[in-house]
Amino acid sequence: MSVGIPIRRLWPEPSTQQLDDAALTTLYGRADEPRLRVNFVASLDGAVTLDGYSAGLSGQPDKRVFGVLRMVCDALVVAAGTLRHEGYRAVRLDERRRAWRREHGLAEYPTLVVVSSSLDLDPAQAAFADAPTRPIVLTHAEAEPPPGLTDVADLLRCGTGRVDLAAGLAELHRRGLTQLLCEGGPHLLGALTAADLVDELCLTVAPLLAGPGPGRITAGDTAPPRHLPLRHVLAAEDGVLMLRHARP
Ligand SMILES: NC(=O)c1ccc[n+]([C@@H]2O[C@H](COP(=O)([O-])OP(=O)(O)OC[C@H]3O[C@@H](n4cnc5c(N)ncnc54)[C@H](OP(=O)(O)O)[C@@H]3O)[C@@H](O)[C@H]2O)c1
């Protein structure tokens, strides 16, 4: 089976061998403990978007790893801002990836978890309307859902006046969703960093200078710095780097 643009490991042990999906699955495998993994792509000069979207930064190797990360998680956590802006569709996996999940005793698809304070969400958006697994919307006690939202998603209310992310993640763990993959966006990463909830960051570095303008992968109120040691560095033949940093 063709794996497209070759990806190889640079660190800790450099290897000339191309990484197939099985090798990538081992490198990005599930953890024994509950874990919040965050995945982003950025330019060399730190931009989170190109022409307003992440797509311009992402290429085939990044999409391959992105697919593996989705395959191994229990739930896909995304902020409402990114869901709306990027026009999130229903979470789909191909048959090969669904088979992997079945073999590992997982639900066919990860559960989509949308983080929103305002609940300014469109129940007709494909991410909700076509979802193969009923999505969860993580919000707070006072948030008012728009008509139709509770027909297509379950509300998980944690916190008063604002979303209590720590309580929300703990409740997801209690529901058996322990391997959490967060696909952003920047304000959610900022809040997760402030609450010290980020266990891992998978960062793809696209080999281009986006120039001034776009924001970084993090935004919002200031937070204390958090140390995340390097776990591996992969390089794709088109010059893309894929870093995995995780807590000890
Ligand atoms: N390069 C990448 O890998 C990547 C990844 C993701 C996104 N992006 C880009 O990032 C941009 C979107 O960023 P954004 O500034 O809109 O940030 P965001 O974090 O995606 O969305 C912010 C919104 O999400 C909800 N939210 C986030 N954190 C929350 C919290 N702690 N509690 C409650 N609700 C929370 C709120 O929604 P409500 O307004 O509904 O309350 C908030 O207004 C887009 O341009 C997208 O393309 C890039």
Side-chain angles (χ1 to χ4, degrees):
M1 186 189 59
S2 164
V3 294
I5 297 171
I7 303 175
R8 296 184 179 85
R9 190 175 58 219
L10 290 187
W11 193 90
E13 296 110 31
S15 168
T16 53
Q17 202 159 1
Q18 294 183 30
L19 297 167
D20 60 14
D21 273 17
L24 289 174
T25 303
T26 303
L27 283 168
Y28 290 99
R30 292 168 61 85
D32 296 333
E33 311 266 299
R35 170 179 61 190
L36 179 73
R37 164 183 275 168
V38 179
N39 185 38
F40 269 95
V41 58
S43 68
L44 282 179
D45 50 356
V48 73
T49 54
L50 200 61
D51 298 328
Y53 293 91
S54 58
L57 297 169
S58 178
Q60 189 261 336
D62 176 57
K63 289 195 176 82
R64 251 181 88 203
V65 169
F66 183 92
V68 168
L69 299 187
R70 283 189 164 192
M71 179 181 78
V72 302
C73 75
D74 294 319
L76 187 60
V77 181
V78 66
T82 290
L83 179 101
R84 288 186 291 254
H85 183 78
E86 297 261 347
Y88 258 56
R89 306 177 71 81
V91 178
R92 298 277 173 201
L93 300 175
D94 64 25
E95 171 49 31
R96 194 169 42 98
R97 295 203 160 129
R98 295 205 305 277
W100 185 93
R101 291 180 64 87
R102 285 194 299 272
E103 282 159 23
H104 290 80
L106 306 177
E108 286 229 324
Y109 297 93
T111 302
L112 180 69
V113 178
V114 179
V115 184
S116 172
S117 193
S118 70
L119 291 186
D120 177 15
L121 298 168
D122 178 3
Q125 184 169 346
F128 296 113
D130 292 345
T133 301
R134 197 170 159 83
I136 294 172
V137 177
L138 174 56
T139 190
H140 59 82
E142 293 84 6
E144 276 294 329
L149 186 64
T150 54
D151 295 340
V152 292
D154 292 330
L155 297 189
L156 169 56
R157 296 183 183 274
C158 295
T160 308
R162 53 180 282 280
V163 178
D164 182 336
L165 291 170
L169 298 194
E171 177 55 24
L172 295 176
H173 298 162
R174 202 190 61 73
R175 297 181 184 193
L177 305 174
T178 63
Q179 305 296 298
L180 304 176
L181 171 65
C182 175
E183 292 182 354
H187 281 91
L188 182 55
L189 176 57
L192 290 166
T193 303
D196 199 15
L197 293 169
V198 179
D199 299 310
E200 179 172 324
L201 176 68
C202 296
L203 180 66
T204 296
V205 182
L208 59 88
L209 297 171
R216 293 169 50 202
I217 66 169
T218 194
D221 296 336
T222 54
R226 312 286 182 193
H227 190 61
L228 277 185
L230 184 63
R231 299 295 163 192
H232 74 221
V233 180
L234 311 182
E237 225 161 67
D238 59 355
V240 166
L241 284 181
M242 280 165 281
L243 315 176
R244 187 171 87 83
H245 289 255
R247 289 197 216 252

